[in-house]
Amino acid sequence: METAGGSKWSLIRPFLVILLVHSLAIYLFTRGFLLTRTELASFSHCSDLTHSPCSSISSSHRRSNFTPPPDESPDELHQDRRCWTKPAVDRLVIIVLDALRFDFVAPSTFFKDKKPWMDKLRVLQKLASAEGSSARIFKAIADPPTTSLQRLKGLTTGGLPTFIDVGNSFGAPAIVEDNLIHQLVRNGKRVLMMGDDTWLQLFPDHFNTSYPYPSFNVKDLDTVDNGVIEHLLPSLYKEDWDVLIAHFLGVDHAGHIFGVDSAQMIQKLEQYNSILEEVVDVLKSESGAGGLHENTFLIVMGDHGQTTNGDHGGGTAEEVETSLFAMSLQSPPASVSSVLDSSFCHPDLDGRKLCVGIFEQLDFAVTISALLGIPFPFGSIGRVDPEIYALSAHTWEGRGTGTNDCQPSSDLAAWKQNYANALCINSWQVKRYIDLYSATSVIGLPTEDLNHVSELYSQAQTNWSDTVSSGYLPMGTPHRIQDSEESPFQQKIDAYSDFLESVAKLARSAWTEFDGTLMGVGLSCMLVSLAIHLLAIRRLNILCKPYQNALNILGNYFSLVSPLLLVAIRAASFLSNSYILAEGSVANFLLATAGIIRLQRSIREWKLPTDELFFLILSTIIRFGIEIGMSKESSASTFLFTFSKNIFGINEGDPLLTVLTDIFPIILLFVLAIMFYKFISGICCWPHFRYILYFGTVCSYLLIALHWASESNLMPISLFVQYTGRNFAPQVVYAIGFGLLVLSVLSRFLDSSRVKPTARMTVLSLALVSSWSPTILILLGRQGPFAVLIFISGAWFIVKSWREGWIESTRRDLGAFVIDPIPVIQWSFLAVCLFFYTGHWCTFDGLRYGAAFVGFDHFNIIRQGLLLAIDTFGVSHILPILSIPFIITIQLQNSKENSAEGNTFLYLTQVFLIYGLITATTTTLTIICVTIQRRHLMVWGLFAPKYVFDAIGLLVTDALIFMASLYYY
């Protein structure tokens, strides 16, 4: 097809070039910025300990009943029959309650305000206060990102998570580096697993027995939990396992779908309380002398926390703070109180003093390994936790017989000696790991920091052999000196702790390797793409205007500078983490500012600014929605509920609230259908095609209404209608949308020789919008009609306020632009605002996973990934970009100049280029931001997710613009 500027390919070619350049830039920068931590192929072995400075003391702990691992010969063990540390427990029960918030476990007396979900796990609170020294609650701190895959990997390897693994959360790869599960199996421990099937994906062929259940149907609260319950209690009476892992998912799924403050969440917590009561009863009944659980250790823990709307993945306190409860079936001596931290204590609900410890999840793998007496995972950089280690009674047993110049140690001195030995091995393992890591990885760790930790290790290791040569202090040494802070073993504990804490701090601050060369090349490609945008816009300017006018870049200075300044302000705001957190509010402020610029122009030209004023009112409404959407205080299922209460002040239980949340969205669907009919009836061409579009869209809206009605509690609904509405109706909506999309593509081949370009483009635009909108609406939920109506209203006000100056803008010199960029910038800012208005934000806990299962109960990575992508980018990218032609067609339909009609595709091309330039500019500044802030404390919790979302959004924008140009031209 020929256009005023030549063939259509001359107009499409820049979009393809820009897409390819951006793809290359994102690929290169991502390879340099999001490199995974180098995973070493080394594994720990029992025989390794003979090479450590701790081997002399360790050899005194030989166990005659220790069976060498199958791959370790007796010669390799060198008579060391007990591996690295003396086993302190015989059996271990690990119960994982996914997304277990700290305030689910700790008593409400620990918090300022009591919430409905608190004090539901009373059994853990009672055990922690009644059992005294043998049971304890901990606030467990996870390292972000807090996705389940990364947390399980971090828990079992003892290493810090790597950001790029977030993308594998839906398809977990097997862990190939050394880990706790591998060491358990390698050293003859029988492992039983039940629950979340992610464990089987991470550790294939590691479990003696497993009962996996699918984990990604977030709408299913009971299948996984019921499967665990079916096998958990019977397994506690069996002898065919040494380590039992039970992973419940109900709380995580209830949070995703209903939020923390929901009846479903409370029911799940109460169910868990009953299950844990039964588990504890079984363990205690078999804990007598010679019993099955005489020396069993129980751990109940979460892998991460969750926000009050049930999301996780980021680095906020709610997401990284989870709980861990530990209990030994054998009570340690009373001296354990001197080891346990008593700085965080409050009365429980019964008035008894209850203290809570602090536990870093980084320490989990090495602590469990020390208790079970197996080698520590080679890549672990955690520290054996003193409080959990002290809960086991066998860690308090002394050595030797106390003859000649030695005397038996006190309980506390014996424990300190055992713990100092464990820390010696712990520190030696960490030291050899970071030495090998720095020697073999591409960049390694900073030399100055390595020298510092090496010095700390040398200080801790000084005179270690002399201190532990006998294992006891000289005869006559008072117990108060043995137990004091000045005792040699306490000094060693402090020295090793300082070393391990320094290594953990070093790893957190400088773990990820950044390839500066690749990052620089990627950034350079982004800058080149901006130049390509500007050159393409300038070329179109020459085609549309006299050449001499195109050279006058400073013409109409304000019209050129003011829009660019708005884009620059938004892009520059990404240099601050505070502005990134408030990005939705910043975009809304700039949207209103752009409206004020249009307002002052109308006032200056003595025109009644009705449309501009309505647009500013709409911006204010959007602002309230953004505040709720970004607060993380309301889940997608309760967004309208929270919005109605906050905006209209309606109390819970008010019938008007039910009308607003259940009935009004359906009414708005019919309003949208009427609006669509008005749009399509105003076009004269292709009547049969237009009415097929309208019929398909209306049918989809009716099915969406049926879907929402089936989820409502306003009236009793039969099971058949519930199934039809909840599963079948959404699937039909998807099918209709796909059919309309195919029909829209085929419509390009209809005879358009008698149709004006503007009319043809209008019909094609409506076809695309009608094919995508039902799917986007049903995924957004009941807030969908509000969001789409706001977009339509905002777009209409933008175009209408621009209409008055259309002819003048084509004659007036706008410098490098033929099209006034202010409306395009408003269009872009409106799209950004809708992203946050609908409850999304640029972190992985901002993904609305529940939308991926609308219409489906079972997980398929391609299907659910596609639905999640449509929900995330539908109202902020797909609809705004595909409807960009309306900016041009509405103006041209009201234009009296024939030349304007002839330049339709030139105008549309420049609008596409301006829109793409805005997105590319903000993404470029995001890249510059993360480059500057790559050592920032919040780089992985905030800056990196922002980069990922902006980079994907840029590629989506480029791809949509390129495909739209192929479709429209």
Side-chain angles (χ1 to χ4, degrees), residues 570 583-592 619 622-623 625-626 828-839 875-876:
R570 177 169 183 261
E583 183 182 357
S585 300
V586 172
N588 180 258
F589 171 79
L590 295 175
L591 175 67
S619 299
I622 294 174
R623 175 60 182 265
I626 288 175
S828 175
F829 286 168
L830 178 62
V832 175
C833 289
L834 289 175
F835 177 81
F836 295 97
Y837 177 86
T838 51
V875 77
S876 60

Side-chain angles (χ1 to χ4, degrees), residues 8 25 292 342 352 451 499 515 601 658 703 732 840-841 899:
K8 69 173 183 178
L292 191 59
S342 59
R352 293 176 296 188
N451 292 337
F499 164 74
D515 190 324
R601 182 178 297 178
T658 303
L703 290 170
V732 175
H840 300 91
W841 49 88
S899 59

Side-chain angles (χ1 to χ4, degrees), residues 861-875:
I861 187 169
I862 297 177
R863 180 182 63 204
Q864 267 56 62
L866 179 61
L867 292 179
L868 185 62
I870 294 174
D871 173 74
T872 303
F873 297 106
V875 77

